[in-house]
């Protein structure tokens, strides 16, 4: 009986993991491309390898403060797909050139998707000139970093 319970629990965990993977793959494939301007720093981690620490201009425009809560902002895309802060989410319908972007507040600071971009050791020169993070956005505001530009 214990073996069956363990097997069922294991299958449920694997199904949940697969579901999350399928959701992320769908976002990467079908999400709307959004470029967000960044202000990178290029540190090195001996445990993690080479990576670029990221700060996004959008996070600065959203603001900061201890009383901030997680939320979503409306980002207007220009003709190149570069997103600029427009407003906090409200009841106003989105225009065709607008997308939602979810942010999470950590230590009083808004964070977008990730704060690091990892790359193969010795390839830092390929990303030193990057000015934008390329994201894929879902209609509900979830974003995933897919490339540096």
């Amino acid at each position: 009986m214990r073996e069956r319970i363990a097997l069922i629990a294991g299958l449920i965990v694997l199904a949940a993991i697969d579901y999350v993977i399928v959701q992320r793959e769908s976002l990467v494939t079908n999400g709307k491309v959004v470029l967000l301007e960044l202000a990178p720093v290029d540190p090195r981690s001996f445990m993690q390898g080479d990576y670029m620490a990221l700060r996004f201009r959008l996070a600065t425009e959203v603001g900061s403060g201890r009383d901030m809560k997680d939320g979503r902002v409306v980002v207007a895309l220009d003709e190149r797909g570069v997103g600029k802060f427009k407003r906090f989410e409200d009841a106003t319908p989105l225009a065709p050139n607008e997308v939602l972007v979810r942010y999470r507040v950590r230590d009083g600071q808004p964070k977008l998707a990730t704060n690091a971009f990892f790359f193969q050791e010795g390839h830092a020169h390929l990303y030193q000139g990057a000015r934008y993070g390329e994201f894929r956005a879902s209609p509900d505001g979830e974003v995933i970093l897919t490339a540096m530009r």
Side-chain angles (χ1 to χ4, degrees), residues 1-15:
M1 183 64 166
R2 281 184 153 175
E3 292 174 356
R4 283 188 179 174
I5 292 172
L7 179 63
I8 291 170
L11 290 174
I12 290 171
V13 168
L14 288 175

Side-chain angles (χ1 to χ4, degrees), residues 34-109:
V34 177
L35 301 178
L36 297 179
E37 192 170 355
L38 52 87
V41 192
D42 192 5
R44 178 171 169 76
S45 168
F46 292 110
M47 295 299 289
Q48 296 174 311
D50 287 341
Y51 72 98
M52 179 183 291
L54 303 175
R55 286 183 300 130
F56 295 95
R57 177 172 284 187
L58 178 63
T60 304
E61 293 169 343
V62 168
S64 63
R66 292 183 183 191
D67 59 343
M68 283 189 69
K69 296 180 181 172
D70 295 358
R72 297 187 291 192
V73 293
V74 176
V75 173
L77 304 178
D78 67 13
E79 63 281 347
R80 297 177 302 149
V82 176
K84 301 281 186 202
F85 176 80
K86 179 100 179 222
R87 66 183 183 278
F88 287 92
E89 180 185 32
D90 56 18
T92 308
L94 296 178
N97 71 325
E98 294 177 340
V99 295
L100 287 175
V101 173
R102 180 180 308 278
Y103 65 88
R104 291 172 176 81
V105 178
R106 301 295 179 260
D107 299 322
Q109 300 295 318

